[in-house]
Amino acid sequence: MKASEGIETSGRKPSRPPVVAPGHSPGSVTDQITAVVLDRAPRWWWVAFGISFALVMLLLRALTKLLFEGTGIWGLNIPVGWGFAIINFVWWIGIGHAGTLISAILLLARQEWRTSINRFAEAMTLFAVACAGIFPLIHVGRPWLAYWLLPYPNTMDLWPQFRSPLVWDVFAVSTYATVSLLFWYVGLIPDMATLRDRAEGKFAKVAYGFLSMGWRGSATHWHNYETAYLLLAGLATPLVVSVHTVVSFDFAVGQLPGWHATIFPPYFVAGAIFAGFAMVITLAIPLRAAFGLKDFITTRHLQNMGKILLATGLIVAYGYLVEIFMAWYSGNWYEQFMILNRIQGPYQKQWMALLLCNVLAPQLLWFRRVRSSPVLLFMVAMFVNVGMWLERFVIVVTSLHRDFLPSSWGMYSGTFWDWATFIGTIGLFLALLFLFIRFLPMISIFEMKTIVPKQVPNTAEEAPE
Amino acid sequence: MSAPHSNAHSNPYEPPSDLERLQRHGWTLGAVGVAACLVGWILDSNQFFHSYLVAWLFWLGIALGSLAILMLHHLTGGAWGLMVRRTLEAATRTLPALAILFLPILLGMQEIFPWARPEAATDELIQQKAAYLNPAAFTLRGFFYLAIWSLFAFILSWLSLRQDRTADPGLIRRMQAVAAPGLAIYCLLATFASVDWLMSLDPHWYSSLFGVYFFVGQGLSALAFLIVIAVYLSQRQPMDSLFTPLHFHDYGKLMLAFVMIWAYIAFSQLLIIWSGNLPEEVGWYLERSHGIWKYVSILLALFHFLLPFLLLLSRDLKRNAKLLSKVAVLVLFMRWVDLYWLAAPSFGHEGLSFHWLDLATVVGIGGIWFALFVGQLRSRPLLPINDPYLEEALADD
């Protein structure tokens, strides 16, 4: 019997890796996290930022050409009038889901392991939403008139079509971006004050002081702060679901086989969380190694994120399966053709790769050994990143390219400028992220401190296992 | 405190003695209901089978939803689940009995399902689906689902009993290892079951979200039921000193979450089908938006979603066991209305056609089911006495 004397019954609990590595005090937490921001940047940071910034230049080059010459430089044509722009929009907006999910839903569910990853996951959300927002904007063709999407009184008698989910997107995405930004900023305020107090340079002192909005850490401040944070979490939770639901409506309210499926809303939301967690893992594993943050982003975090990846991956697989079964069960010729065309048609390779990345690869996460190995987990996450892009490619392109009339069938592929724009946004995303980790604490300092004291008795308790 | 409790002697969490009376009431009601059902079967066998399907699905929903919630608890942990684990386990152990109660549906297959009638041979669309929708495959699939679900229920109950006896801490991991694939398999089989038992009542109609609607509804049924049982137990020894407002707060939050998910799924399906407006899909909703069914649909929106949603937003209500149980009873009643609304318009009766057999079948199956459930609940301590997290759960307030 493991329940030996001197240790309470809780000693019989199965052992779990701790949320914070043993031996940390509130002071060491602050030192280690602020050091990333306040010390000199390592050389690799300059190299990585430089490469990302070069890709931002590529993005600007592609956008300039687009504005001069129009969307003809892309591969879009009839029948495939929705190509890379929509695929990339949905891909990025999906990635932008994990941050708010981790921050809001896991906060409300009292999952304290979220503390080490919520800050940079929220930042990642903002950057992903920024990248996503570029695509619909440039896809309208004349982006300088994009404000016509908003309902405002004007002399042209213009009014948005409120039955169109594309208009709902405008509201859903802008609301989501606003609340995510607020949530992120409110969470940063106490840490800005810490940086203000620790900064050496004059400019840094003033800048962090300005951003900390006069935070002094009084009991009233904390009280108001906690209330505001909880309220924002409550507000953000339905938004996580609403954005991707509206995105799924973009497709599902139409009549096109492959788009018109009632399973789309929950299956898109699960796909978004799946993609978002894959990206969090993709970023967290190299960052914790580079900055020596393994004490804060521990094996426990990797395991939990691996489990969420597996669960959402299974929901996505369920979506694929139900889609195929219902296409057969419907008895509808066009539905059946759409599925057969995916499986055997000209885009068969993409479909098979999609299954490999999104259905087969995540099954490795059933094994604890894979979930706790940073290298293997990173590889699975990379498969998912690719797979979720392919999923949107398959949904958008294979449904459009062969619709009801064989006389109007055609093929689609991205041009150089399609790829340049897409890779350019990846550069933008990474560049913003590198700036973020240099200028702001990527792990919430004050929230980490709240779990450190609890950690001390726990370390003794976990030891006998 | 560290020594495992011995089960044989003093069991600190013995079920209250008046459960026995409750069980007797269950048997009595069941007997009356079954007698009424037999009379109804002779008088109007068509109506009997229609009512029977809805009633059976209603009670099955509670048992299966309990299985899903139990597995969810094993996977996520938490005090809320430990306090009701025995209630959930008792409900899942009724699944073999529900498999026996599935037999009348097989007897009435032709009365219930259009695809099982001889006329179906002339329907081209039904003929295309005949590889799936045929009596033999339907029967085999039905028993297959029920057997697999029962298997998971019994493995989990057996591991739980072993935990009581041996206090082996490794059992938690084993329960998790069963629950993870179990939950996935439950959802998958429930999806196909929803096609068999409800969607195929209108064999031309299809919706890929329907399976999710079906199992989310089962989860909600189970939560409402477990709240009613938890409140009953919290008014009696020994649980009266153990349940705290915090536990009910958690159950209330979970029920609120499921009410919202149910509404989300229901609304998504409606919006997508309404806006696509395809003849092969929208007919199902047209049946439910005309005549008396329009009012039943509105009733669902108001009392299956809006009222419980608004009430459950209140923190005080969620912490008040008695009030919470009243909301739970409303939700349970609306679960039956929802299943009735899914099935009855497809039977092709004129108008609303509420029949006394609809009540008799719910009481008949329900009485028997409830008596079996209470019998199972009485057979074990009300808390998993040797679970390593139990002390933490009890200290939680």
Side-chain angles (χ1 to χ4, degrees):
Chain A
M1 204 56 25
K2 291 228 173 93
S4 50
E5 286 88 321
I7 298 158
E8 285 188 328
T9 12
S10 48
R12 293 189 286 127
K13 286 175 204 166
S15 68
R16 266 195 229 160
V19 181
V20 181
H24 271 288
S25 67
S28 70
V29 168
T30 315
D31 289 342
Q32 204 166 344
I33 300 173
T34 53
V36 177
V37 179
L38 297 174
D39 289 358
R40 287 182 68 88
R43 181 168 302 150
W44 68 261
W45 183 90
W46 285 106
V47 175
F49 178 72
I51 296 171
S52 327
F53 196 72
L55 292 176
V56 177
M57 293 296 110
L58 178 68
L59 175 67
L60 292 179
R61 173 73 185 87
L63 291 182
T64 311
K65 183 162 174 82
L66 176 77
L67 293 184
F68 269 89
E69 297 186 19
T71 47
I73 64 166
W74 292 344
L76 296 181
N77 212 326
I78 299 303
V80 182
W82 267 17
F84 266 45
I86 293 294
I87 297 167
N88 297 338
F89 164 69
V90 182
W91 190 69
W92 276 121
I93 203 92
I95 288 169
H97 270 65
T100 312
L101 181 99
I102 290 172
S103 313
I105 296 182
L106 296 186
L107 177 77
L108 296 179
R110 303 196 289 253
Q111 298 285 320
E112 64 178 22
W113 60 273
R114 73 180 258 292
T115 302
S116 322
I117 51 171
N118 69 330
R119 172 69 51 73
F120 82 84
E122 283 166 44
M124 182 205 84
T125 288
L126 289 173
F127 306 149
V129 171
C131 291
I134 292 174
F135 287 101
L137 205 64
I138 57 179
H139 196 218
V140 296
R142 288 180 286 172
W144 51 92
L145 297 179
Y147 66 92
W148 287 4
L149 284 163
L150 298 171
Y152 70 104
N154 58 57
T155 52
M156 299 174 290
D157 254 355
L158 268 178
W159 195 246
Q161 167 57 282
F162 274 105
R163 278 194 180 187
S164 163
L166 296 174
V167 174
W168 309 345
D169 260 339
V170 175
F171 294 99
V173 174
S174 55
T175 312
Y176 183 66
T178 314
V179 173
S180 299
L181 182 67
L182 264 177
F183 197 47
W184 180 66
Y185 182 66
V186 169
L188 267 169
I189 291 175
D191 283 0
M192 298 280 197
T194 307
L195 284 172
R196 172 197 62 197
D197 299 343
R198 293 219 162 196
E200 304 274 323
K202 182 112 204 257
F203 176 75
K205 268 190 180 156
V206 173
Y208 288 127
F210 181 76
L211 290 170
S212 66
M213 299 177 90
W215 180 270
R216 293 184 317 278
S218 74
T220 323
H221 280 179
W222 280 112
H223 178 75
N224 290 343
Y225 173 85
E226 302 247 313
T227 315
Y229 201 63
L230 265 183
L231 280 176
L232 277 173
L235 259 178
T237 303
L239 289 177
V240 175
V241 177
S242 77
V243 175
H244 233 67
T245 299
V246 171
V247 169
S248 81
F249 285 156
D250 290 343
F251 298 96
V253 300
Q255 296 180 333
L256 192 72
W259 286 8
H260 179 75
T262 48
I263 191 75
F264 264 34
Y267 146 64
F268 264 51
V269 172
I273 297 166
F274 186 48
F277 266 89
M279 190 56 91
V280 173
I281 291 171
T282 310
L283 300 177
I285 288 176
L287 281 181
R288 76 199 265 274
F291 287 110
L293 295 174
K294 286 181 187 165
D295 288 356
F296 303 138
I297 303 174
T298 62
T299 315
R300 172 88 167 275
H301 295 96
L302 300 185
Q303 284 179 355
N304 284 356
M305 289 195 283
K307 282 182 191 167
I308 293 183
L309 204 61
L310 176 62
T312 48
L314 287 174
I315 302 178
V316 169
Y318 170 88
Y320 300 155
L321 183 82
V322 171
E323 230 185 342
I324 294 172
F325 173 73
M326 275 303 156
W328 175 80
Y329 179 86
S330 72
N332 183 318
W333 168 252
Y334 297 102
E335 291 279 343
Q336 292 172 351
F337 174 79
M338 175 273 297
I339 288 291
L340 285 178
N341 186 45
R342 274 184 195 171
I343 300 175
Q344 303 170 339
Y347 293 106
Q348 183 189 33
K349 277 198 198 102
Q350 282 86 340
W351 186 78
M352 308 266 274
L354 154 71
L355 289 192
L356 170 71
C357 294
N358 277 2
V359 180
L360 288 181
Q363 302 311 316
L364 289 173
L365 298 170
W366 284 102
F367 302 99
R368 186 192 305 267
R369 206 163 346 129
V370 177
R371 289 197 302 264
S372 36
S373 148
V375 177
L376 291 177
L377 190 60
F378 181 80
M379 280 164 61
V380 172
M382 285 308 284
F383 269 105
V384 174
N385 287 329
V386 175
M388 286 310 289
W389 192 87
L390 284 170
E391 179 194 299
R392 278 66 176 251
F393 181 89
V394 165
I395 290 174
V396 170
V397 176
T398 64
S399 312
L400 279 172
H401 92 117
R402 286 182 172 175
D403 63 2
F404 304 95
L405 278 179
S407 61
S408 53
W409 288 0
M411 290 295 287
Y412 171 84
S413 60
T415 61
F416 171 79
W417 295 109
D418 275 315
W419 285 104
T421 318
F422 176 46
I423 293 169
T425 52
I426 295 180
L428 176 65
F429 176 77
L430 291 177
L432 288 168
L433 199 81
F434 283 125
L435 288 176
F436 161 72
I437 57 179
R438 270 303 291 157
F439 289 106
L440 294 169
M442 72 174 119
I443 294 177
S444 176
I445 302 169
F446 76 94
E447 284 183 302
M448 285 306 283
K449 285 185 201 163
T450 61
I451 56 176
V452 168
K454 273 195 229 162
Q455 200 57 36
V456 180
N458 273 0
T459 49
E461 164 196 306
E462 309 276 352
E465 301 289 333
Chain B
M1 283 302 281
S2 59
H5 293 290
S6 63
N7 201 19
H9 303 296
S10 63
N11 166 16
Y13 309 121
E14 192 150 4
S17 52
D18 56 349
L19 276 178
E20 193 188 345
R21 214 181 57 219
L22 214 58
Q23 194 180 7
R24 269 206 312 275
H25 289 324
W27 287 124
T28 317
L29 272 175
V32 173
V34 168
C37 287
L38 287 174
V39 174
W41 190 346
I42 295 162
L43 293 178
D44 186 349
S45 77
N46 211 23
Q47 178 64 48
F48 165 76
F49 285 120
H50 294 172
S51 307
Y52 188 89
L53 176 74
V54 176
W56 180 73
L57 283 173
F58 174 73
W59 293 106
L60 178 77
I62 294 175
L64 273 182
S66 298
L67 179 63
I69 305 274
L70 175 68
M71 295 194 283
L72 205 62
H73 157 65
H74 281 310
L75 291 175
T76 60
W80 65 271
L82 276 182
M83 299 298 290
V84 291
R85 200 167 99 190
R86 286 293 139 89
T87 309
L88 294 170
E89 285 169 356
T92 61
R93 287 198 299 274
T94 61
L95 280 168
L98 284 160
I100 295 170
L101 290 169
F102 178 57
L103 289 170
I105 292 169
L106 296 177
L107 287 177
M109 214 189 292
Q110 286 205 14
E111 271 94 339
I112 301 174
F113 298 101
W115 51 261
R117 290 174 205 149
E119 307 90 273
T122 56
D123 187 316
E124 204 187 325
L125 200 54
I126 296 180
Q127 280 314 300
Q128 278 195 35
K129 308 181 186 190
Y132 186 85
L133 293 182
N134 64 70
F138 177 89
T139 311
L140 276 178
R141 279 199 308 271
F143 283 118
F144 176 70
Y145 309 141
L146 288 159
I148 297 288
W149 290 326
S150 307
L151 182 70
F152 275 103
F154 275 84
I155 293 175
L156 287 174
S157 270
W158 175 68
L159 288 173
S160 189
L161 191 66
R162 271 194 49 189
Q163 194 188 39
D164 277 5
R165 293 203 176 130
T166 66
D168 175 3
L171 284 170
I172 292 204
R173 281 263 158 81
R174 294 197 39 201
M175 287 192 256
Q176 284 178 345
V178 173
L183 194 59
I185 290 170
Y186 156 75
C187 291
L188 192 66
L189 295 186
T191 302
F192 288 101
S194 76
V195 176
D196 291 5
W197 298 335
L198 280 171
M199 197 195 285
S200 77
L201 290 173
D202 185 346
H204 290 189
W205 184 68
Y206 59 92
S207 162
S208 44
L209 193 51
F210 195 75
V212 181
Y213 185 88
F214 183 69
F215 62 69
V216 166
Q218 294 191 332
L220 181 57
S221 296
L223 272 173
F225 180 74
L226 85 81
I227 288 175
V228 173
I229 299 298
V231 172
Y232 175 85
L233 291 176
S234 74
Q235 291 160 349
R236 281 158 183 79
Q237 292 253 344
M239 298 298 283
D240 53 352
S241 56
L242 302 175
F243 272 117
T244 66
L246 196 83
H247 295 128
F248 289 105
H249 195 179
D250 279 349
Y251 304 137
K253 282 194 249 180
L254 276 170
M255 190 157 71
L256 174 63
F258 268 80
V259 163
M260 289 198 287
I261 297 172
W262 177 87
Y264 168 68
I265 300 294
F267 176 74
S268 298
Q269 179 174 279
L270 169 66
L271 181 86
I272 291 169
I273 290 182
W274 168 80
S275 99
N277 205 17
L278 294 169
E280 60 265 40
E281 291 180 348
V282 83
W284 193 84
Y285 275 108
L286 286 178
E287 268 175 350
R288 285 159 182 77
S289 61
H290 283 99
I292 191 83
W293 289 111
K294 180 166 94 184
Y295 300 100
V296 182
S297 304
I298 294 172
L299 196 76
L300 272 178
L302 292 181
F303 295 101
H304 200 305
F305 170 62
L306 192 66
L307 184 66
F309 169 73
L310 292 176
L311 290 173
L312 288 171
L313 284 178
S314 155
R315 178 187 153 92
D316 291 344
L317 184 140
K318 279 179 286 201
R319 287 172 163 255
N320 181 329
K322 271 201 165 151
L323 283 177
L324 186 67
S325 73
K326 282 182 184 150
V327 180
V329 169
L330 169 74
V331 168
L332 266 182
F333 173 70
M334 291 313 293
R335 287 302 310 136
W336 179 82
V337 175
D338 183 33
L339 288 165
Y340 182 68
W341 175 85
L342 290 173
S346 300
F347 290 139
H349 302 293
E350 287 293 308
L352 180 62
S353 74
F354 182 82
H355 196 275
W356 62 266
L357 267 168
D358 289 323
L359 182 67
T361 46
V362 170
V363 173
I365 301 177
I368 296 171
W369 182 84
F370 189 72
L372 291 171
F373 161 76
V374 175
Q376 290 298 333
L377 188 62
R378 287 176 58 206
S379 70
R380 293 185 186 181
L382 284 175
L383 287 173
I385 41 177
N386 281 324
D387 193 288
Y389 292 100
L390 183 63
E391 245 174 87
E392 215 173 276
L394 293 177
D396 213 353
D397 49 14

